[in-house]
């Protein structure tokens, strides 16, 4: 009903391959874009800066991981390490006096270079073995960070980020920082949406589905893996740098440790492999869940008159986080994005649902 | 009980979302302390005791009429040692009228530091975080009341010097440390002192999480250091104790950092631990007026914030120490500038603490605008099989050397 | 379509117009009815992809492993409906399926292969005597019983697969393309042994073959499957004599192409 | 450095390595039967130790009662995990299986700690810590005990895999379809392997718990266990034993030299390097089958 397809006709390939062929989708996207732009005037600063801003940056990062894991099918358990490379390079560059625009670029490129090392692992191995290799690389990176005071920022291992500035303007206001995150997230989203329509995107999917077969069809799978890792690492690097510049204000190794890698991967899985909308939803769910679960449990305990210890209460969100991943994989392995697509598919043909299988 | 029900009420309100903000803002007749703690990941060996201590002390203070007639509220939240969630907690509590924060986690303390400095709020950072924060001229909003790890390490050396008859030539000191920033921090100062005093410093890095020490103690056995100073945590000491026994290193020559408690002693074995030394910032045991008062008035009335057994733990005393200093600062703030307490008056309150020792709970501290550490005295205690026996008076050695390091390190921090 | 003419008690296996769906969408078999008489040997013939293997998997229950299921029709073994019985329980009832491609347990010895297939309830002595019986059928296996099965020749592996199936004490043995990729003399040897087991033990056999010529030599009855449907069934003698069969499956005729077969099938369906 | 010292490092390294093998055997059992890399083995280890403690400390039972009880309970926990969570994912891409076991790991850890709290406890097996000298070499008794348990388990599994039940499990690991076709219940077999791996987890948890105390850090053994399993070949128990010894020696002797150069903490680096190099050079490990997945 919302997605009425009647009257939608495409007379050319150009219009048929538009980003959003269904008008309802187009309207929804415009609506959310406007909502995003107006957010600083609608939402309290607490939600804007402690929830929405990190959510948008993480979404951008998740999209990057989705490029390599969801689309190219390469398991990556060292994504946080790649983000760290970008973050540290950018902050060091900015400290050196390079304008932030270029510092971000440097961060992204540095990540691309290091991230491509992961691609060489992907050339040799896949599946479980690639996952283990990238995990080991994450550990190496963690080690380097905690053992190189010059990179990590002295004996306290904290590296202050200079004030963020674009075009010579210092950005310190809540709204300003928010727009930076929003802009980056929109940019990455547009890139990913368009990637879907290009030969590159299709080649990546081909590599994922069967790299032998892709090779026979003339798809150079190594080249595309490399491109996927490089592009995804670039996104990771810039996202990491923006995260530090607009949210943490300083970089520390714990921000990019192995559990963060797992968390980003969980966002991808819960959101749905290869789903752009899913990346938004997955990031939101994983980020917000600990707080919400904690509050729900203490509320529930309060209502039932149970006296849960403070320690018990603190561990429950972790158990719930694990349970969430397990339940998702059991019930809908394709994640939130797929759940939404199911609803959408249903409504598309409603009330004429004879097309349903 | 006030503080506990508040935690729950707050949680309930927060579920309702935005509405909780306005509701919480209205309650301004109390003095609020925000404890964003790691209750679920790396610091769980210490955080339950400290939160319990803070809550009990608040209850006791409130029973006595609060601070200048105003009640204390302690708000506890878990951040799982994740910087992201620590910041969320900070931003949320900030808007609920909290301006005194305590993060008890090095990574999270570090992560909120820029925001605290920018917002001009107060960060209690006793015992964790960066040691150079004692420099009040740079870290105006940070109060690491109590000794830094640097001060503690220096005092350990001073104790060894005393034991060696004042001359450290030819003395070998081993330093076994967790190989990440917490353990690495004292290395600089130890190297400086080794040069100054002429002792030989041997470094023994222990990989995280500290349970794998076999090769460390094999080396110790061969190097035969006179003392081993250990910057390990919780289970790490237990492993060390077993390895010492195995390698024939006398446990009485083992000087632990303050993070060794009764749980660890029990795990080592009360008998096996006899002679073990610990540098400490607070007096151990329950033989302290303030603890007796809490046991009688708070737990006697069934208002304790947790199981009574947990009180018999030096980390509980540590929690009391942190919060008796904080409440003292709040008391002074109300006394000087009246109610409501503001970040500025709280800061002034802290900086006017003089010779405060919470009835013998810790060494008297005097906080000034320049020295937020308050003196940084520690002492060595020895486990005698039943209790901790002080081996010396509260001391603060090599303060000049430490301040050099503090100044040098803090000078690299710039407030943006 | 042909209706079963005999009563259930004569039949060890009867399929009544079954349909098989893969992944809930792909209809692989569209109404197949087959009967195997007790102690008889029946062949299922047809080209690649006709649905022969799927039919066997429907009977043995192995469809489950490939996300397929019997969506219509009934399968009776010994008169009992077995559609809802787990594959391992069907084996216990006496149905054993020698799957296509030999699939021996490559990292184990032939001896261990045989032991793996013996039911856990079987006594130690019985296991040993059964093994001895199988080695007697396949003397080549006895010679190599301690080497790794992955290194056996194709013929030996096929023998091992059949021997392994015999360890389960089947009453109905289903063989999926046992001749695939084997030299003619080996095919003859293996078919000879199958025939012998059938005669000596009274074991019923359902044989799936592309090599119709060889199969029709040993079976009494044959079914011809095309596109998931049985298009013809008759006695082996009659089938061998049928000119169409000769042309398409026995390599006798010339000049007709695939299109003609399709056409033929369609006409046949109309008639049946 | 003299030879005795080198020998001591080597022997103690090998003993520690065998304790990694103990952990890795659990991983191998599950991988062998179902090709599932069980990232939740660390959490199972931790849970196993906590269950033992729940019986011995909380209920006051002696250890020789508590451990068998824990073994029985953990056996069914393992079977339950397989039945509830893993069985549905059979045939799904490895990323989902990996994520599933990771989710189980997080869930088990959270639940365990929510029930028993995070402070470290100790298991007292009554092994003496008095110095034990063999010649001039100092050996660790508890490590010897642990290594013996590892070797005993190896022998036990070696015999088990030659029993009729064991042969059926091996058949499952060889070929699912063929196993089904001869009436082997693959589900039950895979479930059994999870149960056995959980029993191994109890043994690992108790021994490591005695050495380092029972707390969250038990689950961190995972990386070393995985490295040992991969180096050994993932589906080979003898591989896990040999690889454990190799990794233990590399760690012990290697870190002695490397620590001087890089300033400490090189053990983790060695583990990561061994893992990366194994995967790059010989993904099927020392004793693994050559047909293991690779590009």
């Amino acid at each position: 009903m919302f997605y009425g397809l009647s009257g939608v006709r495409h007379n050319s390939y150009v219009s048929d391959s538009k980003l959003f062929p269904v008008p309802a989708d187009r309207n929804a996207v415009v609506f959310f874009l406007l909502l995003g732009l107006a957010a600083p005037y609608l939402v309290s600063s607490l939600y804007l800066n402690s929830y929405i801003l990190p959510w948008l940056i993480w979404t951008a990062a998740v999209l990057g991981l989705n490029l390599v894991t969801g689309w190219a099918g390469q398991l990556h358990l060292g994504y946080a390490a790649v983000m760290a490379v970008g973050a540290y390079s950018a902050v060091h560059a900015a400290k050196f006096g390079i304008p932030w625009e270029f510092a971000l670029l440097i961060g992204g490129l540095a990540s691309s270079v290091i991230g491509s090392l992961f691609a060489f692992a992907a050339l040799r191995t896949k599946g479980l073995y690639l996952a283990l290799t990238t995990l080991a690389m994450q550990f190496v990176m963690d080690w380097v960070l905690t053992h190189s005071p010059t990179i990590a920022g002295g004996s306290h291992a904290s590296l202050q980020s200079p004030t963020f500035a674009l075009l010579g303007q210092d950005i310190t206001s809540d709204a300003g920082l928010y727009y930076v995150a929003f802009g980056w997230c929109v940019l990455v989203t547009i890139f990913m949406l368009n990637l879907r329509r290009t030969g590159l995107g299709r080649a990546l999917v081909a590599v994922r589905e069967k790299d032998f077969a892709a090779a026979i069809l003339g798809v150079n799978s190594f080249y595309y893996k490399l491109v996927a890792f490089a592009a995804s690492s670039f996104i990771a690097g810039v996202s990491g740098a923006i995260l530090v510049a607009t949210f943490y204000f300083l970089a520390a190794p714990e921000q990019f440790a192995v559990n963060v890698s797992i968390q980003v991967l969980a966002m991808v899985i819960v959101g749905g492999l290869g789903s752009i909308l899913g990346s938004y939803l997955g990031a939101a769910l994983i980020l917000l869940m600990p707080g919400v679960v904690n509050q729900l449990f203490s509320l529930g305990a309060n209502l039932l008159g149970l006296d849960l210890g403070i320690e018990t209460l603190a561990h429950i969100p972790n158990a719930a986080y694990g349970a969430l991943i397990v339940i998702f994989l059991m019930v809908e392995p394709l994640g939130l994005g797929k759940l939404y697509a199911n609803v959408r598919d249903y409504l598309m043909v409603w009330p004429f649902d004879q097309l349903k299988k | 009980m006030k503080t506990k029900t508040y935690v729950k009420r707050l949680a309930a309100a927060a579920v309702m979302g935005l509405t909780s903000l306005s509701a919480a803002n209205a309650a301004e007749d109390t003095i609020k302390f925000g404890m964003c703690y790691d209750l679920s990941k790396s610091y769980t060996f210490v955080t339950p005791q400290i939160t319990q201590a803070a809550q009990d002390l608040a209850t006791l203070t409130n029973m006595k009429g609060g601070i200048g007639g105003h009640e204390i509220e302690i708000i506890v939240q878990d951040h799982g040692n994740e910087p992201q969630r620590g910041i969320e907690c900070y931003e949320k509590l900030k808007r609920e009228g909290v301006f005194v924060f305590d993060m008890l986690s090095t990574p999270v303390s570090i992560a909120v530091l820029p925001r605290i400095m920018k917002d001009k709020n107060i960060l209690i950072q006793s015992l964790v975080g960066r040691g150079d924060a004692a420099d009040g001229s740079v870290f105006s909003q940070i109060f690491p009341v109590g000794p830094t790890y640097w001060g503690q390490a220096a005092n350990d050396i001073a104790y060894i010097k005393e034991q060696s008859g004042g001359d450290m030539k030819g003395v070998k000191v081993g330093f076994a440390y967790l190989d990440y920033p917490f353990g690495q921090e004292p290395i600089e100062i130890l190297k400086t002192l080794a040069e100054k005093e002429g002792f030989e410093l041997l470094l023994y890095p222990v990989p995280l999480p500290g349970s794998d020490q076999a090769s460390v103690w094999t080396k110790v056995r061969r190097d035969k250091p006179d003392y081993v100073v250990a910057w390990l945590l919780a289970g790490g000491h237990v492993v060390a104790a077993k390895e010492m026994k195995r390698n024939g290193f006398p446990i009485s020559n083992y000087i632990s950092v303050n993070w060794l408690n009764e749980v660890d002693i029990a795990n080592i074995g009360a008998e096996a631990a006899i002679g073990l030394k610990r540098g400490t910032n607070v007096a151990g045991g329950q033989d302290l007026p303030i603890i007796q008062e809490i046991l009688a008035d708070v737990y006697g009335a069934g208002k304790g914030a947790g199981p009574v057994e947990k009180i018999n733990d030096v980390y509980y005393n540590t929690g009391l120490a942190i919060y008796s200093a904080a409440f003292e600062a709040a008391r002074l703030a109300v006394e000087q500038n009246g109610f409501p307490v503001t970040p500025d008056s709280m800061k002034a309150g802290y900086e006017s603490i003089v010779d405060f020792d919470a009835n013998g709970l810790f060494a008297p501290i005097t906080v000034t605008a320049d020295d937020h550490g308050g003196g940084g005295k520690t002492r060595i205690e020895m486990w005698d099989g039943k209790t901790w026996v002080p081996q010396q008076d509260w001391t603060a050695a090599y303060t000049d050397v430490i301040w050099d390091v503090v100044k040098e390190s803090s000078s690299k921090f710039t407030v943006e | 379509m042909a209706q079963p003419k005999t009563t259930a008690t004569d039949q060890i296996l009867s399929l009544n117009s079954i349909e098989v769906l893969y992944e809930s969408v792909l209809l692989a078999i569209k109404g197949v009815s087959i009967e195997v008489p007790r102690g008889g040997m029946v062949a299922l013939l047809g080209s690649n992809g006709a649905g022969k293997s799927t039919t066997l998997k429907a009977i043995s229950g192995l469809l489950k492993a490939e996300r397929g299921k019997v969506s219509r029709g009934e399968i009776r073994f010994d008169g009992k409906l077995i559609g809802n019985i787990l594959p391992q329980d069907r084996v216990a009832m006496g149905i054993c399926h020698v799957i296509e491609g030999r699939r021996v347990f490559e990292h184990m010895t032939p001896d261990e292969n045989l032991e793996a297939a013996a039911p856990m309830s079987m006594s130690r002595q019985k296991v040993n005597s059964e093994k001895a019986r199988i080695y007697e059928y396949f003397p080549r296996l006895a010679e190599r019983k301690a080497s790794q099965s992955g290194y056996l020749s194709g013929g030996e592996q096929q023998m091992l697969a059949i021997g392994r199936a015999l360890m389960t004490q089947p009453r109905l043995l289903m063989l999926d393309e046992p001749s695939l990729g084997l030299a003619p003399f080996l095919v003859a040897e293996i078919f000879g042994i199958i025939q012998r087991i059938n005669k000596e033990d009274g074991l019923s056999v359902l044989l799936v073959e592309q090599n119709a010529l060889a199969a029709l030599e040993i079976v009494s009855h044959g079914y011809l499957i095309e596109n998931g449907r049985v298009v013809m069934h008759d006695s082996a003698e009659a089938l061998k004599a049928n000119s169409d069969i000769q042309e398409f499956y026995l390599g006798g005729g010339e000049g007709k192409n695939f299109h003609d077969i399709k056409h033929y099938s369609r006409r046949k369906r109309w008639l049946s | 450095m003299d030879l005795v010292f080198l020998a001591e490092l080597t022997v103690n390294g090998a003993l520690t390595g065998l304790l990694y093998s103990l952990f890795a055997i659990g991983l191998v059992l599950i991988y062998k039967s179902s090709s599932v890399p069980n990232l939740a083995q660390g959490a199972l280890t931790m849970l196993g130790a906590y269950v033992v403690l729940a019986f011995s400390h909380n209920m006051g039972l002696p250890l020789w009662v508590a451990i068998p009880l824990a073994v029985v309970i953990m056996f069914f926990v393992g079977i339950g995990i397989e039945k509830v969570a893993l069985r549905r994912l059979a045939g799904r891409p490895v990323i989902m299986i990996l994520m599933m076991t990771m989710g189980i790991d997080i869930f088990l850890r959270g639940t365990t700690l929510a029930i028993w709290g995070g402070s470290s406890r100790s298991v007292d097996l009554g092994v003496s810590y008095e110095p034990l000298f063999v010649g001039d070499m100092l050996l660790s008794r508890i490590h010897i005990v642990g290594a013996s348990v590892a070797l005993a388990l190896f022998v036990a599994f070696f015999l088990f895999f030659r029993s009729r039940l064991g042969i059926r499990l091996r058949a499952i690991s060889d070929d699912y379809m063929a196993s089904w076709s001869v009436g082997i219940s693959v589900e039950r077999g895979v479930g059994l392997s999870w149960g056995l791996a959980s029993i191994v987890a109890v043994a690992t948890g108790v021994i490591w718990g005695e050495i380092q105390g029972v707390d969250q850090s038990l689950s961190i053994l995972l990386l070393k266990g995985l490295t040992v399993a991969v180096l050994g070949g993932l589906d080979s128990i003898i591989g896990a034993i040999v690889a454990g010894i190799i990794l233990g020696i590399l760690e012990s002797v290697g870190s002695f030299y490397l620590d001087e150069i890089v300033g400490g903490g090189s053990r983790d680096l060695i583990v990561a390097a061994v893992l990366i190099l194994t995967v790059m050079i010989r993904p099927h490990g020392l004793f693994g089958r050559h047909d293991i997945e690779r590009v």
Side-chain angles (χ1 to χ4, degrees), chain A residues 45-47 50 54 58 146-147 156 158 160 163 247-248 250 254 290 295 298-299 302 307 310 314-315 318, chain B residues 4 8 11-12 14-15 18 39-40 76 78 84 87-88 91-92 95 107 110 115 130-131 179 409 413-414 416:
Chain A
S45 64
L46 166 66
Y47 286 83
S50 319
W58 280 114
T146 46
H147 285 82
H156 303 290
S158 71
Q160 253 188 305
T163 306
F247 183 67
Y248 288 136
L250 51 70
E254 289 84 0
Q295 282 156 8
S298 43
L299 183 71
N302 214 12
D307 194 12
I310 201 152
H315 287 297
N318 284 322
Chain B
K4 251 192 122 176
K8 287 176 181 166
V15 173
L18 286 159
L39 293 161
S40 57
V76 184
D78 175 45
Q84 168 105 29
I87 289 174
E88 272 171 35
E91 291 286 338
K92 191 165 139 224
R95 289 168 174 82
I110 284 171
R115 287 168 192 257
R130 35 198 309 163
D179 196 19
S409 174
F413 184 88
T414 46
E416 297 283 339

Side-chain angles (χ1 to χ4, degrees), chain B residues 12-28:
Chain B
V15 173
M16 325 241 171
L18 286 159
T19 51
S20 67
L21 291 176
S22 48
N25 276 334
E28 286 296 3

Side-chain angles (χ1 to χ4, degrees), chain A residues 257-330:
Chain A
V258 62
N259 59 320
V260 180
S261 277
I262 293 175
Q263 209 173 15
V264 191
L265 191 59
M267 290 173 184
V268 170
I269 301 261
V270 169
L273 283 170
S275 163
I276 289 171
L277 179 71
S279 301
Y280 280 83
L281 300 177
L285 192 66
I286 298 283
L287 276 186
L288 296 181
M289 210 207 40
V292 173
V293 169
N294 200 329
Q295 282 156 8
L296 280 180
F297 264 88
S298 43
L299 183 71
N302 214 12
L303 288 177
L304 295 172
L306 288 175
D307 194 12
L308 290 183
I310 201 152
E311 238 187 314
T312 307
L313 221 45
H315 287 297
I316 285 175
N318 284 322
Y321 167 39
L324 187 79
I325 296 172
V326 170
I327 290 169
F328 253 98
L329 287 169
M330 270 162 44

Side-chain angles (χ1 to χ4, degrees), chain C residues 156-188:
Chain C
E156 286 162 343
Q157 288 191 346
Q158 187 61 59
M159 291 175 192
L160 180 56
I162 295 170
R164 187 177 65 185
L166 292 177
M167 283 301 284
T168 67
Q169 312 283 294
R171 289 184 290 147
L172 171 69
L173 185 66
M174 303 194 293
L175 299 156
D176 197 348
E177 307 269 7
S179 72
L180 198 71
L182 298 185
F185 79 94
L186 273 172
V187 175

Side-chain angles (χ1 to χ4, degrees), chain C residues 3 26 30 41 49 79 84 90-91 96 113 131-132 135 149 170 208 238 265:
Chain C
Q3 290 301 313
L26 190 73
K30 309 152 189 167
M41 278 182 92
N84 292 323
R90 296 190 200 188
V91 174
C96 195
N113 264 271
K131 279 200 293 193
Y135 286 134
S149 308
V208 158
S265 313

